[in-house]
């Protein structure tokens, strides 16, 4: 991978703030966008900015085709069938869609939902609400010192009455890559009827993910973390589940036939896509998938292992640092959360910002995990295709500067 | 951009004034910064002179960044002896003036949290009196 060449594909890197370049280490929150994606969005608005599925005129046909192609690109990217890919606003909306349709019908008194302590709030709060509402039980898989899931007692947490296992593929704080494929096998051997939802918001942008290979029932991710536009997300689900589920929202685009007093609905995925969708966003996401495919997901994963290894080595040399999550780069994604003795994460991020080094400080939408780690907040640096060793070196220099200020 | 971390800010962070707790406070309130989870607890004691309530003692306790701790430290120094309504009149600008630095919107909350906790503890104390 030629990182300099990739960097040149991202117009934002031409920008200087206070005459200094941008060192972007927050792709776990949102990725930057390459010119291809920006151009695809711009082309829609400039050349064929009309609604889809409606007109028989050439422009509408063109927009419909482009939006359909985007769905096809996304479905191929994750090894899915075309009618199993629903466009939503973000991964959070995917969870809420499942919680409010499938969850509403299956989470009942006496049942349980199992999730983990390392989830993003999006994969825990909807389940708290649904289990409370229906008198079901929410059970939590804990982690060990290394930040790996404790799976010895899985058969105590999952039983015949467990309807859902909602689990992240990759922690957005620890970077832990969960053994989701094995875990699903084990869960389904305990309870063949369990439905498994995988939060792939951190994995799909960074490694090859194939829904059939994983063996899950739902898989969700966001477009904006994988070079695509904000306001785009994907819910993938098995067709038979989608067919049984009631619609999520009602109105235009999702109906087959409307009478005055009752209506029938389209088949999946359209049944879950009420109203005019984010057409430009979908097309932009299609362009992002094309860009990632061109680079190759195996290459991306390899690059991130290498840069994470480099960063872990350098960071570990700093006195007073504590790094969370798996110790080896190959066991984790390109995410490093840490705390510095005597320097609050906010203050560290502020000092790094003086040199345009963009890191995240706070709880990263994972308050239960931070509580488990005994922290209020941490600093998180994360890597993607446009990061190189120079970015890591800048981070190290920035941390040393903060140490000097706070010593 | 000038560094926020001037020497006096760092001094207050390292050695905060009025850090700790009060026994039998007249009012107390705890506030959380939902952006980062930082929290601060303010406790106050009054003295009454000329039929007016004035701050006799104030202490704060909590975990936070340098900006929050320095703000709490400098604010609590400033408000001792002030009347209730004088404290209720303080706002974001007064806090920034006390701190003597400029902050970006994302950091303003860190600086203002101690004032919010202080004003809430006054309101709660007033309710308790009624």
């Amino acid at each position: 991978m030629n990182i300099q060449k990739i960097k040149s594909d991202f117009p934002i890197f031409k920008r200087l703030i206070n005459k200094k370049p941008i060192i972007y280490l927050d792709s776990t929150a949102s990725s930057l966008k390459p010119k291809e994606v920006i151009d695809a969005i711009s082309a829609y608005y400039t050349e064929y900015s009309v609604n889809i599925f409606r007109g028989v005129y050439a422009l509408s046909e063109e927009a419909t085709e482009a939006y359909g192609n985007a769905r096809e690109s996304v479905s191929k990217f994750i090894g899915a069938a075309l009618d199993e890919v629903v466009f939503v606003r973000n991964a959070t909306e995917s969870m809420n869609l499942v919680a409010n349709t499938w969850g509403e019908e299956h989470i009942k008194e006496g049942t349980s939902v199992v999730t983990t302590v390392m989830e993003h709030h999006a994969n825990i709060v909807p389940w708290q609400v649904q289990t409370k509402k229906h008198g079901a039980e929410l059970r939590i898989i804990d982690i060990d010192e290394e930040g790996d899931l404790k799976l010895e007692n899985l058969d105590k947490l999952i039983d015949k009455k467990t309807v859902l296992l909602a689990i992240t593929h990759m922690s957005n704080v620890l970077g832990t890559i969960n053994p989701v494929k094995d875990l699903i096998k084990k869960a389904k051997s305990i309870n063949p009827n369990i439905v498994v939802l995988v939060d792939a918001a951190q994995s799909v942008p960074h490694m090859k993910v194939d829904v059939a290979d994983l063996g899950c029932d739902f898989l969700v991710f966001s477009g904006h973390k994988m070079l695509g536009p904000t306001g785009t997300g994907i819910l993938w689900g098995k067709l038979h589940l989608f067919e049984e589920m009631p619609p999520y929202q009602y109105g235009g685009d999702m109906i087959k036939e409307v009478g005055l007093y009752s209506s029938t609905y389209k088949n999946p995925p359209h049944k879950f896509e009420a109203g005019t969708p984010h057409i430009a966003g979908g097309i932009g996401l299609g362009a992002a998938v094309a860009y990632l495919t061109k680079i190759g997901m195996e290459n991306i994963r390899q690059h991130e292992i290498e840069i994470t290894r480099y960063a872990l080595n350098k960071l570990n040399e700093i006195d007073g640092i504590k790094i969370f999550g798996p110790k080896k780069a190959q066991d984790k994604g390109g995410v490093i959360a840490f705390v510095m003795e005597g320097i609050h994460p906010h203050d560290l991020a502020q000092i790094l910002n003086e040199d345009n080094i963009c890191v995240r400080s706070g709880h990263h939408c994972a308050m239960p995990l931070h509580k488990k780690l005994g922290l209020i907040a941490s600093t998180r640096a994360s890597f993607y295709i446009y990061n190189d060793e120079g970015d890591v070196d800048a981070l190290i220099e920035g941390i040393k500067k903060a140490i000097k200020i706070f010593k | 951009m000038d560094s926020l971390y001037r020497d006096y800010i760092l001094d207050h962070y390292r050695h905060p004034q009025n850090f700790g707790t009060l026994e039998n406070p007249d009012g107390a309130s705890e506030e959380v910064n939902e952006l980062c989870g930082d929290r601060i607890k303010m406790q106050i004691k009054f003295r009454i002179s000329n039929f007016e309530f004035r701050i006799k003692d104030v202490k704060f306790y909590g975990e936070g960044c340098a900006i929050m701790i320095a703000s709490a430290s400098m604010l609590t120094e400033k408000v001792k002896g002030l009347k209730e309504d004088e404290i209720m009149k303080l706002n974001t600008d007064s806090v920034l003036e006390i701190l003597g630095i400029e902050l970006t919107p994302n950091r303003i909350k860190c600086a203002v949290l101690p004032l919010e906790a202080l004003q809430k503890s006054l309101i709660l104390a007033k309710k308790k009196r009624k």
Side-chain angles (χ1 to χ4, degrees):
Chain A
M1 266 169 80
N2 181 344
I3 306 302
Q4 279 320 305
K5 162 82 186 56
I6 289 173
K7 256 192 174 152
S8 71
D9 291 338
F10 289 74
I12 199 168
F13 286 122
K14 292 201 185 85
R15 242 193 110 178
L16 301 175
I17 301 175
N18 297 323
K19 296 182 187 152
K20 293 176 194 168
I22 292 166
I23 314 282
Y24 190 71
L25 299 174
D26 197 19
S27 296
T28 296
S30 197
S31 73
L32 303 174
K33 324 298 176 201
K35 190 167 183 300
E36 277 90 335
V37 169
I38 300 163
D39 286 349
I41 296 166
S42 173
Y44 166 74
Y45 284 124
T46 321
E47 292 162 29
Y48 55 103
S49 61
V50 300
N51 218 323
I52 52 173
F53 302 137
R54 313 250 160 111
V56 290
Y57 47 90
L59 283 176
S60 180
E61 298 282 10
E62 197 179 336
T64 306
E65 195 186 341
Y67 196 65
N69 288 344
R71 196 190 305 271
E72 198 176 329
S73 306
V74 172
S75 63
K76 276 189 186 145
F77 191 61
I78 56 167
L82 197 56
D83 44 9
E84 294 176 335
V85 171
V86 177
F87 277 116
V88 290
R89 282 190 303 133
N90 46 40
T92 299
E93 187 171 46
S94 298
M95 267 78 149
N96 280 281
L97 192 161
V98 175
N100 286 296
T101 57
W102 181 89
E104 198 60 42
E105 302 209 325
H106 292 86
I107 299 172
K108 294 178 182 149
E109 198 177 340
T111 67
S112 63
V113 170
V114 175
T115 183
T116 83
V117 74
M118 66 164 79
E119 299 304 314
H120 186 284
H121 296 160
N123 203 23
I124 188 156
V125 181
W127 312 122
Q128 291 172 347
V129 172
Q130 279 296 332
T131 50
K132 270 203 187 109
K133 181 176 170 189
H134 296 287
E137 194 185 339
L138 185 62
R139 298 173 182 167
I140 311 287
I141 304 176
D142 204 356
I143 53 169
D144 63 20
E145 293 293 308
E146 276 263 302
D148 291 324
L149 290 175
K150 281 187 183 170
L151 297 172
E152 319 75 81
N153 297 325
L154 196 65
D155 52 352
K156 297 227 165 55
L157 289 167
I158 294 175
D159 58 36
K160 291 273 195 283
K161 291 197 161 175
T162 306
V163 288
L164 178 75
L165 170 63
I167 185 171
T168 185
H169 197 179
M170 187 198 286
S171 162
N172 70 323
V173 178
L174 304 166
T176 314
I177 299 169
N178 287 321
V180 168
K181 190 177 170 177
D182 283 348
L183 184 55
I184 293 172
K185 261 192 206 142
K186 272 181 207 149
K188 298 220 172 198
S189 74
I190 301 169
N191 176 1
N193 295 322
I194 195 169
V195 164
V196 182
L197 179 146
V198 174
D199 174 1
Q202 298 302 341
S203 60
V204 165
H206 302 277
M207 58 169 75
K208 180 80 196 135
V209 172
D210 184 292
V211 288
D213 180 56
L214 283 184
C216 52
D217 301 283
F218 294 111
L219 183 116
V220 312
F221 54 99
S222 281
H224 70 96
K225 294 188 201 284
M226 53 188 286
L227 313 182
T230 55
T232 63
I234 297 293
L235 167 64
W236 170 85
K238 281 184 177 161
L239 190 60
H240 75 93
L241 291 170
F242 275 171
E243 281 169 343
E244 288 164 19
M245 282 153 62
Y248 175 47
Q249 293 175 327
Y250 298 85
D253 273 0
M254 54 77 67
I255 46 84
K256 200 179 270 171
E257 222 174 336
V258 175
L260 263 184
Y261 296 102
S262 67
S263 303
T264 54
Y265 312 119
K266 276 185 185 160
N267 291 328
H270 305 291
K271 145 184 179 183
F272 300 108
E273 296 179 2
T276 297
H278 186 5
I279 303 171
I283 292 167
L285 179 55
V289 165
Y291 186 91
L292 289 171
T293 308
K294 190 176 75 188
I295 295 176
M297 295 313 290
E298 279 81 10
N299 294 333
I300 293 173
R301 174 71 189 132
Q302 198 50 43
H303 166 67
E304 289 181 12
I305 290 176
E306 281 162 23
I307 192 164
T308 304
R309 182 179 296 132
Y310 181 78
L312 283 171
N313 286 339
K314 288 271 177 179
L315 286 167
N316 272 316
E317 288 171 8
I318 295 176
D319 275 342
I321 196 168
K322 183 161 190 217
I323 299 172
F324 301 95
K327 304 244 179 314
K328 289 187 186 140
Q330 61 266 31
D331 298 335
K332 65 185 286 171
V335 186
I336 303 177
F338 59 95
V339 289
M340 290 295 310
E341 206 187 322
I343 310 179
H344 190 282
H346 256 176
D347 294 321
L348 178 57
Q350 183 92 46
I351 289 164
L352 292 173
N353 177 60
E354 289 173 8
D355 296 306
N356 294 336
I357 302 165
C358 314
V359 296
R360 180 84 186 266
S361 63
H363 51 61
H364 324 308
C365 298
M367 285 174 100
L369 175 63
H370 277 77
K371 196 163 187 195
K372 165 82 193 168
L373 298 172
L375 302 173
I376 285 178
S378 62
T379 303
R380 180 184 71 188
S382 54
F383 312 113
Y384 208 5
I385 50 175
Y386 33 69
N387 292 117
D388 55 20
E389 293 184 355
D391 296 337
V392 175
D393 294 339
L395 171 68
I396 303 294
E397 284 312 305
I399 295 172
K400 286 182 179 162
K401 181 176 159 188
I403 292 171
K404 221 177 245 171
I405 292 172
F406 275 87
K407 74 165 186 274
Chain B
M1 192 179 77
D2 269 353
S3 175
L4 300 177
Y5 300 99
R6 317 244 166 101
D7 285 343
Y8 65 90
I9 299 274
L10 291 169
D11 276 348
H12 276 279
Y13 175 56
R14 292 191 191 107
H15 311 288
Q17 302 300 302
N18 304 310
F19 189 83
T21 52
L22 290 175
E23 260 179 54
N24 304 318
D26 296 318
S29 173
E30 190 166 5
E31 290 294 306
V32 177
N33 183 348
E34 66 273 14
L35 284 176
C36 57
D38 282 356
R39 55 181 64 233
I40 183 164
K41 187 169 194 175
M42 275 283 175
Q43 292 178 312
I44 46 165
K45 256 185 185 315
F46 292 116
R47 67 180 161 83
I48 306 170
S49 66
N50 291 334
F51 305 103
E52 282 177 327
F53 284 87
R54 287 177 186 271
I55 297 288
K56 181 181 166 201
D57 202 2
V58 51
K59 292 242 189 246
F60 77 98
Y61 189 79
E63 282 177 78
C65 59
I67 301 300
M68 187 191 94
I69 300 290
S71 169
S73 174
M74 294 169 83
L75 179 72
T76 49
E77 275 189 327
K78 169 105 184 167
V79 297
K80 273 188 199 172
L82 289 191
K83 288 186 285 189
E84 272 178 315
D85 60 334
E86 288 172 324
I87 293 172
M88 293 313 288
K89 272 186 210 145
L90 298 176
N91 57 25
T92 303
D93 287 341
S94 350
V95 171
L96 293 179
E97 203 177 301
I98 293 169
L99 278 169
I101 50 176
E102 277 177 37
L103 289 172
T104 52
N106 281 340
R107 290 307 292 281
I108 293 247
K109 181 81 182 170
C110 311
V112 175
L113 202 68
L115 177 64
E116 287 176 355
L118 177 65
Q119 289 177 335
K120 215 173 204 177
S121 64
L122 283 179
I123 293 167
L124 290 173
K126 207 169 187 176
K127 268 192 192 156
K128 223 163 78 177
R129 287 205 299 268
K130 278 179 184 168

